[in-house]
């Protein structure tokens, strides 16, 4: 028996366990002050589900209690009622035409962005933004596609630094790459891509027979018309892109678990439809999302659901603005927030990400996320999130303003 030695290459959840450890140590040494800790580091939502979703779930539970309406295994790719709701609202309403066989309902974008590698040869060069959502990198390490870590970077991964100098947008690769992970609006930088710039990526991928894995988990936060909510708003995307979507941030489903992935029939390599491969992969390794969850997801698209979710999103968007404006007013260089729940800031006076983390924790009892944890190019940056309560967000921003305005 031989183990998958690729797992030995990965540090165990280095970023968030390190944050938790530092907060624990601070709390043990400063129990009184620690009572005032405000966490603006989390990527999890905090507001409860929209009432329309709760109502739909209750109704579905009742159906499960009667023999006539009980449901067993769900279809692997999703119930038609949800596939149609997704297709009509997220695509047809925006002039994008899909058949529901191109949409695959799942338990979330983490699983799908992590599992998608199954359908590609290990012999592909992967391109990722730096900083990046760690799942894209770690799953390629696990499967053996990453090569070895040399000076903090994986030898077979092509890194695309996203820095203030390039507006946090990846530049078109100067070398041949095969699998390109893009996430917009971006985690962690909070920055969005314009339709014009995304078109350049679509053209590159089509010309170079590369595939774009487009994570649009944060599309619900888009506010600007120049910013696409789906890569399929871009002409040519159907022949080069797979899109991942999630109800987690859109509708507070982080604990409920539901998302979906679009694999167009037009996406073909060597005459093979990737749609068939993903369908086969899901049918073999995934057994569908619960009926109750899918009814809740369907309710996201009801008139009531849409109204309620808009209010929830507005709450987080307001928090994002409070952080952005507050920090900008005391001299920080701040990014993101406009189309995203994330605020990305340059640490002051050339401080390291972790040094700044310690300062916020020790002096102000505010917890954020050091940018370096998302990749080497995140060093010198820091992420705050809009998912806290408005009261705590305001308090944290006041503390930061008082301290740094001095
Ligand atoms: N993709 C990105 C970029 C994320 O930041 C997250 C969660 O933080 C996810 C995917 C996970 O989404 P889900 O909850 O649908 O698994």
């Amino acid at each position: 028996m031989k183990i998958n030695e690729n797992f030995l290459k990965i540090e165990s959840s280095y970023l968030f366990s390190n944050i938790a450890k530092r907060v624990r140590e601070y709390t043990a040494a400063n129990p009184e002050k620690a009572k005032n800790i405000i966490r603006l580091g989390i990527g999890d939502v905090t507001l409860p589900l929209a009432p329309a979703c709760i109502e739909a779930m209750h109704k579905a539970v009742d159906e499960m209690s009667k023999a006539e309406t009980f449901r067993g295994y769900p279809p692997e790719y999703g119930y038609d009622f949800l596939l149609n709701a997704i297709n009509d609202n997220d695509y047809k309403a925006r002039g994008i035409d899909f058949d529901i066989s191109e949409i695959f309902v799942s338990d979330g974008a983490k699983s799908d962005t992590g599992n998608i590698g199954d359908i590609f040869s290990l012999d592909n060069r992967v391109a990722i933004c730096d900083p990046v959502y760690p799942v894209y990198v770690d799953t390629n390490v696990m499967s053996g596609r990453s090569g070895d870590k040399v000076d903090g970077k994986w030898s077979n991964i092509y890194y695309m630094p996203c820095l203030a100098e390039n507006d946090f947008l990846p530049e078109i690769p100067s070398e041949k790459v095969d699998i390109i992970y893009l996430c917009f609006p971006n985690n962690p930088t909070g920055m969005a891509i314009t339709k014009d710039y995304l078109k350049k990526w679509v053209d590159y991928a089509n010309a170079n027979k590369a595939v774009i894995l487009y994570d649009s988990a944060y599309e619900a936060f888009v506010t600007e018309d120049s910013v696409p909510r789906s890569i399929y708003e871009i002409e040519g995307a159907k022949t080069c892109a797979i899109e991942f979507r999630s109800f987690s941030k859109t509708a507070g489903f982080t604990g409920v678990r539901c998302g979906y992935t679009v694999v167009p029939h037009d996406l073909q390599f060597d005459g093979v439809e990737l749609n068939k491969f993903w369908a086969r992969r899901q049918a073999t390794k995934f057994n569908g999302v619960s009926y109750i969850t899918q009814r809740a997801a369907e309710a996201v698209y009801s008139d009531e659901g849409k109204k309620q979710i808009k209010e929830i999103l507005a709450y987080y968007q307001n928090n994002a603005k409070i952080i952005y404006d507050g920090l900008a007013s005391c001299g920080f260089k701040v990014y993101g927030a406009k189309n995203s729940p994330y605020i990305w800031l340059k640490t002051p006076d050339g401080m390291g990400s972790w040094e700044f983390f310690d300062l916020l924790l020790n002096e102000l009892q505010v917890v954020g996320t050091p940018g370096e944890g998302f990749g080497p190019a995140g060093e010198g940056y820091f992420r705050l999130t809009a998912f806290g309560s408005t009261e705590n967000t305001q308090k944290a921003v006041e503390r930061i303003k008082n301290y740094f305005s001095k």
Side-chain angles (χ1 to χ4, degrees), residues 108-110 133 136 183 187 215 217-218 246 248-249 257:
K110 185 180 195 173
Y133 178 54
Y136 315 148
C183 169
N187 176 17
D215 185 343
Y218 295 95
S246 170
S248 284
K249 312 297 158 95
R257 310 302 310 142

Side-chain angles (χ1 to χ4, degrees), residues 102-139:
E102 298 175 285
I103 304 170
F104 298 84
V105 171
S106 74
D107 65 348
K110 185 180 195 173
S111 317
D112 288 358
T113 53
N115 293 329
I116 196 74
D118 279 8
I119 67 171
F120 301 113
S121 162
L122 291 183
D123 187 20
N124 277 306
R125 187 105 199 268
V126 169
I128 56 137
C129 294
D130 176 19
V132 74
Y133 178 54
V135 171
Y136 315 148
V137 178
D138 291 352
T139 52

Side-chain angles (χ1 to χ4, degrees), residues 65-83:
S65 72
K66 297 185 205 89
E68 314 83 73
T69 46
F70 169 79
R71 313 258 184 152
Y73 285 122
E76 292 104 341
Y77 311 138
Y79 283 106
D80 281 3
F81 63 78
L82 179 55
L83 292 169

